[in-house]
Amino acid sequence: MQLDICPPCHRCDTGRIGTLMARSVTATGTPPLSYQWEKNWVNISGATGPSYTTPPVSLSDDDATFYCNVSNLYETVTSNDATLTVEAAPLPSPSPTPPPSPTGNITVNPSFEDGTSSWNFYTNGEGDFVVTAPGHESSNAACITMVTGGTNVQLYQYGLSLKPNTDHQLRFSAKSNTGNDMTVSIFKHGPPYTNYGVGSHNVDLTTSWNTFTIDFTTPDFVEPVDDARLMFWFAGDASPGDQHWIDNVVIFEAD
């Protein structure tokens, strides 16, 4: 009686640490056929079928040899062996490092590395503000999702300090899933909501990250203020289902 078994030749398999390695044989002959897999000439408990999948491999499995004994009532045939080479898993890619904030930046948590801390979201419709990964040049970014429309939808930070009659620069990165725009303003946090240099500036968004820079000069206050609000406004352009991402929000005195 002839019993044929495949694969007919020696094999070398390579796997990384933690992966599962599968191997199988195909045998033909007078049934019934029985199978027993071995590792390094020792029976593998429960491995009694035409295929076998290892547990997650480790470096201790490197250079291990696997083969299968296939038997019927007349004879036992041993498959050619398969040698396993185990490679170390690749190192994970490092998380993006947020760009350094300019000297004198007055915003808090500019790259959302501390989650939603110091940022506030309001809508008179239905929406959501979460921090997602990755950001533009950092690990995180703010993500604003419009569930329903609203006439007042904003992300803001308040209690910012500004000097009078001083040149400043506002810089941030942003995108939206539809390319719908938003506006940004800097003004007094409470009534009479005095413009502090940026009034409903339109931000022309696309579906890809872009960095925006706005130069402005604060009014000639009598003295420095500590009640400025930085506000991103979405109600004018956003529709249900829109998502906006914002990252790396900084305000600093211009050189």
Side-chain angles (χ1 to χ4, degrees):
M1 192 278 302
Q2 178 67 39
L3 183 64
D4 298 320
I5 187 165
C6 295
C9 57
H10 175 82
R11 290 179 55 193
C12 293
D13 294 330
T14 301
R16 288 198 171 117
I17 291 175
T19 59
L20 308 180
M21 300 299 296
R23 47 191 43 80
S24 63
V25 294
T26 301
T28 58
T30 303
L33 302 179
S34 62
Y35 302 82
Q36 177 61 62
W37 287 87
E38 296 188 12
K39 174 184 176 183
N40 295 337
W41 305 281
V42 177
N43 286 352
I44 301 172
S45 177
T48 55
S51 62
Y52 170 66
T53 300
T54 70
V57 300
S58 65
L59 285 177
S60 63
D61 296 310
D62 187 50
D63 207 33
T65 299
F66 296 84
Y67 56 90
C68 185
N69 295 317
V70 184
S71 303
N72 62 10
L73 294 175
Y74 305 100
E75 61 180 322
T76 297
V77 175
T78 301
S79 70
N80 287 286
D81 59 299
T83 301
L84 175 62
T85 298
V86 179
E87 296 179 341
L91 294 175
S93 300
S95 297
T97 301
S101 296
T103 302
N105 172 48
I106 64 171
T107 64
V108 181
N109 192 21
S111 298
F112 303 91
E113 302 307 305
D114 294 326
T116 61
S117 174
S118 299
W119 291 93
N120 303 273
F121 176 66
Y122 174 79
T123 176
N124 60 0
E126 185 178 352
D128 193 26
F129 162 43
V130 297
V131 170
T132 61
H136 176 40
E137 295 178 339
S138 58
S139 299
N140 297 329
C143 179
I144 307 300
T145 301
M146 313 297 168
V147 178
T148 64
T151 57
N152 185 345
V153 187
Q154 55 179 285
L155 177 71
Y156 64 95
Q157 186 174 131
Y158 64 93
L160 305 178
S161 299
L162 295 171
K163 295 179 182 178
N165 195 30
T166 303
D167 292 334
H168 289 76
Q169 187 174 99
L170 164 63
R171 189 170 67 214
F172 58 91
S173 300
K175 66 176 181 175
S176 66
N177 65 335
T178 59
N180 282 343
D181 296 344
M182 64 183 183
T183 65
V184 62
S185 302
I186 300 176
F187 57 94
K188 180 180 174 66
H189 180 57
Y193 305 107
T194 306
N195 185 339
Y196 280 170
V198 182
S200 298
H201 181 97
N202 187 71
V203 182
D204 185 12
L205 298 178
T206 69
T207 56
S208 300
W209 283 108
N210 289 285
T211 298
F212 302 89
T213 299
I214 302 170
D215 296 312
F216 68 100
T217 302
T218 52
D220 190 11
F221 312 128
V222 175
E223 57 186 0
V225 298
D226 59 4
D227 61 355
R229 176 196 283 193
L230 166 65
M231 180 183 72
F232 295 98
W233 178 268
F234 310 97
D237 295 283
S239 302
D242 278 9
Q243 289 184 299
H244 292 70
W245 290 267
I246 301 172
D247 197 8
N248 305 326
V249 186
V250 293
I251 301 172
F252 54 97
E253 291 184 21
D255 294 335

